[in-house]
Amino acid sequence: MFIQALIGTALIQSWPQVQAANQPSFRFVRPPGSLAEDDFLSKCIHCGKCGETCPNRCIKYLGMENGIESLDTPYIVPREQACILCMKCGDVCPTGAIESIPREAEPILEKVCMGKARVDRSLCLSWQGKTCGVCYRACPLQDVAIRIGRLEQPHVLEQCVGCGLCERSCIQIPQAIRIIPSHSRRQKV
Amino acid sequence: MQKIIAKPSVIRHLNKLRWLVLATVFSILVLLPFLHLYQTYAAAHAYDLLYPHEKLIYDSMEWLTSPFVSDAEQDLDAIKGTTWSGSLFGLQLSDPLAVLSQISASLSIYWPFLLTALIPLAVTVVLGRVFCGWICPATFIYELNDTLAGWLRRAGVPLGDKEFDKRLKYLVLAVGLLVSMLLGSIVTAAIYPPAIIGRELYYAIAQGGFGVGAVFFILTILFDLLVARRGFCRYVCPGGALYSLLGRYRLLRIQRIVSKCNDCQKCNVVCEFGLDPLRDGFGQECNNCTACIAVCPTDALEFKIAVKDIPYQGPGHLGHDYRRAQKDEAES
């Protein structure tokens, strides 16, 4: 039984089409402080220490669904479990694929760029006139990354690092605020 | 008739010590994911909300670690990672293969990571392929698998015992590094069993299921069982290839003392890597696992400090061949 289950899961995981069918729009971000995608892949040795250290258990590992290059590399799906910006993964990463960043607002804003949140106004309760504001309250960088206007309508600002706590907490189904992954470092202006 | 009595010696028991080390490393790899789960439960401060099986993990890990740590959430960060790359009380250690693959994939050197491989590198240069025999968590499984194969053979199950060219693994290493370079990603990690085992144990325990690597690992076990004895380590493993190259001029070697040898061949049979201790054929692939020392009935194998193996010394002085030759010489 055990062996069967094991082979079964692994085969299903290794089959790209099955994976694609299960998750029609697979959208993930890399852990905070990750290098740009190409650099990240060439540095990451797939050791699994980032996930093993993550206190929020948000870091998961890719199978074959994103190609052989990113097999066993870490990813975060914010809607399932979002990053709390504790920055422990960067501290343990031995390879420099995830940069070590101190847990303070300044360096995080400067260096972390997992993605950027975007509000779908046709889904957002506040933009539809029903005062909500949950995403603003979930944000660890309030008024820096996200601002609310009239009727608690969210406005995402330039500084958003893409941790995904807003997407995780959105009470709409499907979520009205999503992280658009950047897979690259913040371009300094 | 000369009586052969084996003298009790300490190095005969090194093989047991080796098994203890292998089992310890493997059980630590099993334990670490549970400790990680315990850490996350402790960090969440919500014991009452845990499921019964999670409470069981919490309680048992608390019982296990409470004598050593005061703040589980922080203190248990002391041991993290696997044998592929891990941190041990602030000391970062990495597999030299990981560093080499990273260099070939990124075509640049990241010095902090290179430094973590220095201690394993130095140990390999001095002691040879010692990681394979003494630490590698895959060796633990492969040796158990080999024991199983032995039982099956004794029960009359026909199992393959093919031999390939041992230099195949150097080709695998070279191709692995080349593919890493072309893809810009470290693919050697996907075909290197110790890295796979650490990862897959973590996936299975903390991430809810085995990943792709488990299939590959099971295939290697089947290869060992059905095609060639310890075939993966002998002919394919890229890490083993790298360690063999690094350990070519190792200082600590096992040598045969020809005056004590009785040509019984037990060392050749027991050798996991298919080497030829009986004819002084150790070479760069010997991992100083001491299995041959443990099995030798006359204590004819000993550790010596030397950079090179001694060439074939002829048949053992306690064996038939040597005595017959002596007799012939005396008669003529």
Side-chain angles (χ1 to χ4, degrees):
Chain A
M1 286 301 286
F2 172 72
I3 300 290
Q4 276 176 350
L6 187 150
I7 294 172
T9 41
L11 277 180
I12 288 168
Q13 278 204 9
S14 63
W15 202 259
Q17 278 86 9
V18 174
Q19 196 66 43
N22 287 344
Q23 293 167 321
S25 58
F26 187 58
R27 179 172 50 87
F28 64 88
V29 295
R30 294 288 185 194
S34 296
L35 304 177
E37 186 70 4
D38 284 353
D39 286 343
F40 179 84
L41 286 178
S42 71
K43 284 259 163 66
C44 173
I45 57 160
H46 318 172
C47 68
K49 267 167 90 179
C50 45
E52 215 170 301
T53 315
C54 181
N56 200 31
R57 290 177 72 193
C58 62
I59 297 181
K60 298 186 179 69
Y61 290 89
L62 286 162
M64 294 292 274
E65 58 266 36
N66 202 35
I68 183 99
E69 294 96 333
S70 43
L71 173 64
D72 295 318
T73 51
Y75 74 94
I76 297 171
V77 173
R79 186 62 166 171
E80 286 170 15
Q81 188 71 289
C83 171
I84 54 171
L85 296 176
C86 72
M87 298 296 149
K88 271 176 137 183
C89 46
D91 288 344
V92 295
C93 181
T95 62
I98 307 175
E99 221 176 336
S100 178
I101 299 168
R103 199 190 182 191
E104 287 154 24
E106 200 98 315
I108 287 178
L109 284 172
E110 192 185 323
K111 286 179 176 164
V112 177
C113 187
M114 305 156 82
K116 198 160 177 288
R118 213 181 78 191
V119 181
D120 187 337
R121 293 186 180 177
S122 61
L123 282 171
C124 178
L125 287 177
S126 294
W127 282 97
Q128 297 302 321
K130 305 180 184 82
T131 311
C132 168
V134 168
C135 49
Y136 173 75
R137 263 137 210 123
C139 182
L141 298 162
Q142 285 174 359
D143 295 322
V144 181
I146 193 168
R147 180 173 63 77
I148 37 174
R150 198 164 51 86
L151 288 176
E152 313 254 325
Q153 287 163 351
H155 297 269
V156 179
L157 304 176
E158 267 310 303
Q159 296 272 52
C160 173
V161 298
C163 71
L165 284 167
C166 51
E167 182 180 346
R168 171 86 179 116
S169 62
C170 181
I171 58 170
Q172 272 286 55
I173 298 172
Q175 65 274 35
I177 187 164
R178 287 164 196 252
I179 303 298
I180 309 299
S182 70
H183 294 310
S184 68
R185 291 183 86 178
R186 182 180 296 276
Q187 296 298 310
K188 298 280 285 183
V189 184
Chain B
M1 192 65 198
Q2 193 176 357
K3 235 182 179 180
I4 299 158
I5 301 162
K7 278 183 294 178
S9 72
V10 183
I11 61 165
R12 290 181 70 87
H13 300 290
L14 277 177
N15 201 31
K16 289 168 198 157
L17 178 69
R18 183 176 72 95
W19 265 97
L20 193 69
V21 174
L22 282 177
T24 311
V25 169
F26 191 82
S27 38
I28 286 177
L29 285 185
V30 174
L31 191 64
L32 282 178
F34 285 114
L35 288 176
H36 167 58
L37 287 179
Y38 169 50
Q39 265 183 302
T40 61
Y41 299 153
H45 295 290
Y47 182 78
D48 295 339
L49 297 177
L50 297 178
Y51 289 111
H53 70 273
E54 292 174 337
K55 275 185 183 161
L56 186 70
I57 293 174
Y58 188 101
D59 292 337
S60 50
M61 289 302 127
E62 190 181 32
W63 175 78
L64 208 63
T65 57
S66 54
F68 310 108
V69 299
S70 53
D71 176 16
E73 190 189 334
Q74 298 297 331
D75 294 353
L76 287 178
D77 283 341
I79 305 179
K80 284 284 171 197
T82 62
T83 54
W84 181 234
S85 178
S87 47
L88 205 66
F89 302 105
L91 179 69
Q92 294 250 15
L93 295 170
S94 299
D95 199 307
L97 181 65
V99 176
L100 197 63
S101 312
Q102 198 202 40
I103 290 172
S104 69
S106 62
L107 294 176
S108 64
I109 296 174
Y110 182 67
W111 287 100
F113 183 47
L114 187 77
L115 293 177
T116 62
L118 278 189
I119 294 175
L121 204 66
V123 169
T124 309
V125 168
V126 175
L127 299 177
R129 204 178 159 175
V130 79
F131 171 84
C132 300
W134 286 73
I135 298 166
C136 177
T139 296
F140 181 70
I141 307 269
Y142 287 147
E143 293 210 3
L144 288 177
N145 183 41
D146 197 40
T147 314
L148 173 72
W151 289 344
L152 288 177
R153 276 205 189 87
R154 215 168 298 163
V157 182
L159 298 172
D161 201 0
K162 287 206 176 56
E163 302 232 334
F164 302 94
D165 194 329
K166 289 206 178 81
R167 285 170 298 181
L168 184 65
K169 59 177 174 289
Y170 303 109
L171 185 70
V172 173
L173 174 66
V175 170
L177 292 179
L178 192 69
V179 173
S180 299
M181 198 169 78
L182 294 177
L183 286 180
S185 165
I186 289 148
V187 289
T188 41
I191 54 165
Y192 185 48
I196 292 174
I197 289 219
R199 247 189 343 248
E200 294 299 327
L201 282 173
Y202 169 66
Y203 291 172
I205 294 165
Q207 300 259 7
F210 284 103
V212 183
V215 174
F216 180 80
F217 187 67
I218 286 170
L219 287 179
T220 65
I221 289 180
L222 290 176
F223 178 71
D224 279 14
L225 195 64
L226 302 175
V227 181
R229 186 181 164 211
R230 288 304 297 278
F232 195 85
C233 302
R234 285 185 194 179
Y235 311 118
V236 188
C237 183
L242 180 64
Y243 285 127
S244 297
L245 290 175
L246 289 173
R248 191 180 171 101
Y249 297 107
R250 66 186 183 277
L251 293 176
L252 191 71
R253 283 164 191 274
I254 299 176
Q255 284 187 352
R256 185 173 69 122
I257 300 155
V258 72
S259 60
K260 285 187 187 173
C261 176
N262 67 351
D263 287 347
C264 72
Q265 292 198 358
K266 282 188 178 173
C267 45
N268 275 19
V269 172
V270 84
C271 183
E272 301 283 349
F273 285 165
L275 304 177
D276 197 6
L278 184 65
R279 291 176 198 85
D280 300 299
F282 294 95
Q284 58 194 16
E285 274 150 31
C286 171
N287 63 358
N288 288 344
C289 78
T290 71
C292 54
I293 294 181
V295 84
C296 182
T298 56
D299 278 343
L301 291 158
E302 275 182 6
F303 275 119
K304 285 280 156 59
I305 299 201
V307 249
K308 278 185 131 182
D309 288 328
I310 31 179
Y312 182 44
Q313 307 174 83
H317 290 188
L318 301 182
H320 287 295
D321 290 352
Y322 183 78
R323 272 185 281 172
R324 194 171 300 139
Q326 291 288 84
K327 208 193 253 174
D328 291 350
E329 225 169 78
E331 278 169 8
S332 66

